[in-house]
Amino acid sequence: MYILENDRIQLKVDEHGRPTELRNKDNGVNYLRKHDLWRLIVDDGKCLEIETIPGNSLPEVTLDNNRMTIHHNEAFDKISGAKFDIGLEISFRLENDEIKTGITVNNNQPETIVKEVHFPLLAIRDEAISGVVTTYTGGQYFRDVKKKILQAHTQFKGIDHKYIRDINFYPTNAMNCMLIDHEDEGLYLGCHDEKLEMTAHILELDDQRDFNMLMGRSPYVAYGNTWTFDRYVISPYSGNWQVAAGKYRKWANCWYQAPERPEFLNGFNGWQRIILKTQYGQELFPYDKLPEAFEASHKAGVDTLFLFGWHVHGMDNGYPDYTPDSTWGGKEALKKSISDIHNRGGKVILYFNGQLIDKQSEFFDKYGQEVATYTVSGVPEQHFYSFPGPGYTAAKFGNRAFTTACPSSDRWLDMLKSFIDSAIELEVDAVFFDQIGNTSYPCCNPAHGHPVPYMGATEARIEQLTELRKYLKSRRPEMGIGVEWISDITAKFVDFVHIWGNIAEQENINLPTDAKTKYISFQEFYRYAFPETPLSNREIRTDEDIERRVNMMLMKGCINDIEVHRCQSTIAVTPHYQQYLAKANQLRKHYSDILFNGRFLADRHQQFIDNQEISVSSWNYNNQLAIMLTQEHLANTSGTVNLPGYSLIDSESVENNVKVTGTGSCINVELPRYGLAVLLFMHS
């Protein structure tokens, strides 16, 4: 047995190089089962994916003060036992409560490529898990992680008898980390790679249905080559999940700097999204109807209209041709309506897709083969977008086929700049690029001049967004720029983010009807680490379950995304939503200084209320602290907030139905179901 430890943490490794224990000495829970630390996926020219493992070989293990190295001379086919002449070295270095770890792969096996390196592979003990946190959609929290993974069963396609896996990639995941939550401690797994390259985040169940949490890289190490990567961090830490979020942000500060937003986005509370013309050609909002649509959202306290499908082809159609529709009066009519909205005190955001190219477009005919992202099969990547109407043909047989533009393409960058030119000419307040906050497919077109496969496509995306922001701000510095999808990489370049996903997704774990809601959605994780980024909510499309979902938007500090009937109606057709949202936005406006400019602290102050049935979010700004409280599962409940060193200076609730009594630092609250209040304190 080999032991690597300091005064904070301890790691034990057996003679086969398999960890048997990993713990924080302050708490004592052991996170790990005995298991291999790595696996390789190799291609020998006959089989595309061969799983190789350490087998029962005895590696050379070296301990030197706060370092440990594990050297394997070979790897073995997990099924046949065949030996591969592939050497590996794993290194561990202790630093406070963190283990900095890396791996080196030497491929000496002829006619073989090491395609994937699964490392660090952490085999987690069931009793160490209170929850598993990923950063997909900004954050997800799974209490029953095995149930979550079982939903990824491939039916007839995969080897589910060996592994069932939930796999996402950074930067599709918003941050390059994930963690195990265990009461008052946790286990952090992060990839602190300044190059910000694609990293697989894998939650898996093995053939015994035991749980593993691991990361993966795709280095494609050819015969005779060596690959090294040493930017992983494993940390069994003391404290709650906010410690882990803080670890990641501390590292990210070496490359992340929040952009300076245009003045109109200070206090910005979101938009109403509408589709002017659908994919199948239905005309919903001709240009002269836009002021009417604006007034519907304005009554709900939202002063911005977000235009989708505003061009002649309609939504998800004809890209990248965004010519205004001449039958509606063309560019001048659109410009007139935008001006009318401005005169009413409103703002307009204009939609463009940042990567899709319609395969029936003139652009694809001329430049598609040059610009398109190519798959490993040597053909352009393909997506199908079917948004049906009253029939079934569009839904079942498809409507439009698209490819995507490789982010390395200069021609496509020029096209994106032309979109900015169009937005400036129409005098809108912000330009929006759909989809490009997300991971780019690793392009395999060698004519583009990048490696194949292009696992560093994120680098090209960063260069692309750098140029777009620079171009926009050089021409119209007061305009905003936004993207879809939460990612720390792309958030660095934009003024707002339209998220993907539902911020109020509940976890179905058969709780009693009067039990506090358990949520899968956990955007608090990203918001806590990167509070500078304005994030929208999403997926409120009907007049149902309004209070709970709007309250969650307020509790997470997200801005409004109104998308009634999938953006085909205005909020006027959902009167309860319109009325409640107006009250919620009025509350937020009342505390706009701290709720928009303050530091989001998530549930840091939950401990200061004596009734844990009440949910708490908080913000601080200068010497003030805002405590937001709500509950949704009890007819009524009450609690006492005790904040030593603070004095209450104001309070208000969405529907004036929360009773607040007391003075100074000790305040009593009574909340009915869906009641939401803000208590504003001043530091004494």
Side-chain angles (χ1 to χ4, degrees), residues 402-445:
F402 295 85
T403 188
T404 61
C406 177
S408 71
S409 169
D410 289 336
R411 186 180 297 280
W412 187 250
L413 177 61
D414 289 340
M415 178 60 69
L416 297 182
K417 288 181 177 178
S418 77
F419 297 165
I420 291 174
D421 294 337
S422 297
I424 290 173
E425 186 176 1
L426 289 167
E427 298 181 0
V428 297
D429 301 275
V431 60
F432 173 81
F433 293 107
D434 201 5
Q435 299 189 345
I436 61 174
N438 200 349
T439 301
S440 296
Y441 188 94
C443 182
C444 297
N445 187 344

Side-chain angles (χ1 to χ4, degrees), residues 20-75:
T20 60
E21 290 188 34
L22 176 63
R23 65 177 76 244
N24 186 304
K25 290 183 175 179
D26 290 341
N27 298 280
V29 65
N30 175 26
Y31 287 98
L32 300 184
R33 310 185 318 274
K34 183 166 68 173
H35 197 281
D36 295 333
L37 271 167
W38 57 268
R39 71 169 71 99
L40 306 178
I41 305 299
V42 304
D43 179 348
D44 67 355
K46 300 176 183 177
C47 182
L48 294 177
E49 296 188 350
I50 302 170
E51 180 180 4
T52 64
I53 60 173
N56 290 318
S57 63
L58 293 176
E60 179 183 347
V61 181
T62 303
L63 278 171
D64 181 15
N65 196 11
N66 68 337
R67 295 175 182 269
M68 178 189 290
T69 59
I70 305 171
H71 183 78
H72 297 266
N73 290 317
E74 61 245 336

Side-chain angles (χ1 to χ4, degrees), residues 333-589:
L334 176 56
K335 192 171 181 178
K336 181 180 181 300
S337 287
I338 292 168
S339 177
D340 191 350
I341 291 169
H342 286 156
N343 292 336
R344 296 167 186 247
K347 304 175 187 67
V348 177
I349 301 173
L350 201 61
Y351 172 100
F352 299 91
N353 198 289
Q355 66 177 6
L356 288 184
I357 302 169
D358 192 329
K359 294 186 72 174
Q360 297 181 42
S361 67
E362 181 180 345
F363 182 90
F364 181 79
D365 288 342
K366 287 185 177 180
Y367 307 114
Q369 305 301 316
E370 170 196 336
V371 171
T373 297
Y374 275 61
T375 71
V376 293
S377 301
V379 297
E381 184 188 14
Q382 189 159 257
H383 297 263
F384 296 95
Y385 285 78
S386 300
F387 293 101
Y392 60 76
T393 303
K396 295 299 182 181
F397 307 134
N399 193 5
R400 309 300 287 190
F402 295 85
T403 188
T404 61
C406 177
S408 71
S409 169
D410 289 336
R411 186 180 297 280
W412 187 250
L413 177 61
D414 289 340
M415 178 60 69
L416 297 182
K417 288 181 177 178
S418 77
F419 297 165
I420 291 174
D421 294 337
S422 297
I424 290 173
E425 186 176 1
L426 289 167
E427 298 181 0
V428 297
D429 301 275
V431 60
F432 173 81
F433 293 107
D434 201 5
Q435 299 189 345
I436 61 174
N438 200 349
T439 301
S440 296
Y441 188 94
C443 182
C444 297
N445 187 344
H448 291 175
H450 53 57
V452 173
Y454 190 23
M455 305 310 297
T458 300
E459 180 181 8
R461 181 72 78 206
I462 290 170
E463 293 174 1
Q464 183 186 73
L465 284 168
T466 300
E467 288 300 311
L468 290 177
R469 184 175 185 87
K470 180 180 176 181
Y471 184 72
L472 174 66
K473 298 304 179 179
S474 69
R475 292 209 57 205
R476 192 65 62 87
E478 69 274 17
M479 275 185 65
I481 182 172
V483 295
E484 182 198 39
W485 206 276
I486 307 172
S487 167
D488 56 8
I489 292 175
T490 51
K492 178 181 177 181
F493 303 100
V494 300
D495 302 307
F496 61 90
V497 174
H498 172 41
I499 78 160
W500 173 264
N502 180 356
I503 69 164
E505 183 182 1
Q506 298 166 290
E507 186 169 18
N508 182 11
I509 52 176
N510 300 318
L511 293 172
T513 56
D514 61 349
K516 190 174 182 179
T517 305
K518 304 295 185 183
Y519 281 96
I520 291 174
S521 301
F522 197 56
Q523 287 77 20
E524 295 94 319
F525 192 78
Y526 181 89
R527 290 275 293 123
Y528 184 85
F530 296 93
E532 306 94 335
T533 308
L535 305 178
S536 72
N537 72 323
R538 194 160 174 168
E539 297 190 10
I540 303 181
R541 296 169 180 158
T542 65
D543 220 2
E544 302 168 323
D545 195 18
I546 293 302
E547 288 87 354
R548 183 186 70 85
R549 294 188 290 173
V550 170
N551 287 353
M552 287 304 298
M553 176 187 72
L554 295 178
M555 292 288 287
K556 297 185 180 191
C558 294
I559 59 178
N560 300 274
D561 172 60
I562 301 170
E563 54 159 326
V564 175
H565 299 158
R566 184 56 178 84
C567 309
Q568 297 186 35
S569 302
T570 74
I571 196 172
V573 305
T574 50
H576 181 55
Y577 182 20
Q578 186 182 47
Q579 293 162 13
Y580 189 79
L581 189 62
K583 296 174 185 177
N585 283 326
Q586 184 59 41
L587 175 72
R588 187 149 56 177
K589 182 178 180 181

Side-chain angles (χ1 to χ4, degrees), residues 187 201 214 264 266 371 400 496 532 543 554 606 651 666:
L187 179 63
H201 293 190
L214 60 147
F264 85 89
N266 292 326
V371 171
R400 309 300 287 190
F496 61 90
E532 306 94 335
D543 220 2
L554 295 178
Q606 183 77 49
S651 66
C666 192

Side-chain angles (χ1 to χ4, degrees), residues 626-647:
I627 302 291
M628 188 179 289
L629 310 101
T630 191
Q631 66 92 12
E632 59 198 40
H633 58 291
L634 301 171
N636 289 281
T637 193
S638 61
T640 300
V641 178
N642 194 343
L643 284 170
Y646 286 87
S647 295

Side-chain angles (χ1 to χ4, degrees), residues 601-615:
L601 301 175
D603 63 354
R604 180 185 291 184
H605 291 86
Q606 183 77 49
Q607 61 184 310
F608 294 97
I609 189 165
D610 63 358
N611 182 356
Q612 296 303 297
E613 299 299 315
I614 298 173
S615 296

Side-chain angles (χ1 to χ4, degrees), residues 611-624:
N611 182 356
Q612 296 303 297
E613 299 299 315
I614 298 173
S615 296
V616 174
S617 288
S618 59
W619 290 254
N620 64 9
Y621 184 61
N622 295 331
N623 289 320
Q624 294 185 342

